[in-house]
Amino acid sequence: MRSSFTLLSKFLLFTASLVIFAGGGIGLIVFLSHHKLLIQEELNDLGTGAHIENHEIKAEVASAIQDVNVLANTLPIQGIIRASENNGFDPIDGASLESWKQRLEEIFTQYIAAKPDYLQIRFIGRVEQGREIVRIERKGDHIISTPNVKLQSTQEAAYFQNTIRLPQANHYLSAIELNREHGKIAIPY
């Protein structure tokens, strides 16, 4: 009887081992399949998120281009260009370059106040070889007009060089870079 009990024990042990092994194998297969599905679902979500972000970025760029078009066609910009090309006086109405700059500063100040995402608006002169003519910037809760003595030259900047090569009324979208003030990287970045 003892040998049959041992045989029965062996059979039960083998059967239990077989059930545990089969159950573990099936569990592993289910886990790996589920894991693969979760990874695929996450990749799909990331792709959808990237697609949405892409559309949002394109919409922001289109909006910025519209803003550039609006500002480029303001009377002060046209007056500054005419005055810069005619010894500091607008040949159409006789206004001085300085009066046109003051008018543009007022427009830029109102514009940047209405656009909380904008930190800086500048008008850079082509005739002035890349020197800022008007610069308004947001510093915390304040909007500041940069005095003439602190206006900078952007003549060597790639964005200026690439822009002046374009035909009139075209837009140049530069690479995103850290802001530089007088040749040094500005903080905060």
Side-chain angles (χ1 to χ4, degrees):
M1 193 154 205
R2 213 169 212 223
S3 68
S4 70
F5 181 72
T6 304
L7 187 57
L8 181 60
S9 297
K10 287 180 182 178
F11 178 73
L12 288 174
L13 183 62
F14 173 73
T15 304
S17 297
L18 186 60
V19 168
I20 290 171
F21 180 74
I26 292 171
L28 181 61
I29 290 170
V30 168
F31 171 77
L32 292 175
S33 297
H34 185 60
H35 183 68
K36 185 177 178 182
L37 285 173
L38 286 174
I39 289 173
Q40 188 59 45
E41 187 177 315
E42 191 64 32
L43 287 173
N44 289 342
D45 288 348
L46 286 172
T48 301
H51 185 71
I52 291 169
E53 289 293 324
N54 181 34
H55 283 292
E56 289 177 3
I57 290 170
K58 284 181 179 179
E60 289 292 326
V61 169
S63 176
I65 289 171
Q66 286 176 338
D67 290 345
V68 166
N69 288 335
V70 166
L71 293 171
N73 290 304
T74 61
L75 291 177
I77 290 204
Q78 301 309 311
I80 288 171
I81 292 169
R82 289 189 304 267
S84 294
E85 294 171 345
N86 291 285
N87 297 318
F89 290 95
D90 186 345
I92 292 177
D93 68 0
S96 70
L97 179 60
E98 284 306 312
S99 68
W100 281 123
K101 288 164 84 174
Q102 288 173 351
R103 293 177 198 172
L104 187 59
E105 283 180 358
E106 292 170 17
I107 292 171
F108 279 8
T109 298
Q110 294 305 314
Y111 214 85
I112 202 168
K115 300 279 186 170
D117 291 338
Y118 286 11
L119 300 177
Q120 186 181 91
I121 301 177
R122 303 184 294 172
F123 179 53
I124 298 170
R126 181 182 215 139
V127 172
E128 290 76 5
Q129 300 174 339
R131 191 171 192 301
E132 295 173 324
I133 295 172
V134 173
R135 175 182 173 151
I136 303 295
E137 58 189 316
R138 181 186 313 278
K139 291 196 176 194
D141 294 336
H142 304 289
I143 296 173
I144 300 166
S145 173
T146 304
N148 283 338
V149 295
K150 291 193 176 185
L151 295 173
Q152 305 173 60
S153 173
T154 62
Q155 184 176 10
E156 301 300 320
Y159 61 83
F160 178 74
Q161 293 298 319
N162 291 327
T163 301
I164 62 172
R165 290 186 190 113
L166 293 175
Q168 194 169 358
N170 281 286
H171 303 95
Y172 174 73
L173 184 62
S174 68
I176 297 173
E177 301 174 353
L178 294 175
N179 185 36
R180 292 184 178 273
E181 298 298 334
H182 303 285
K184 296 180 182 175
I185 294 174
I187 298 174
Y189 307 111

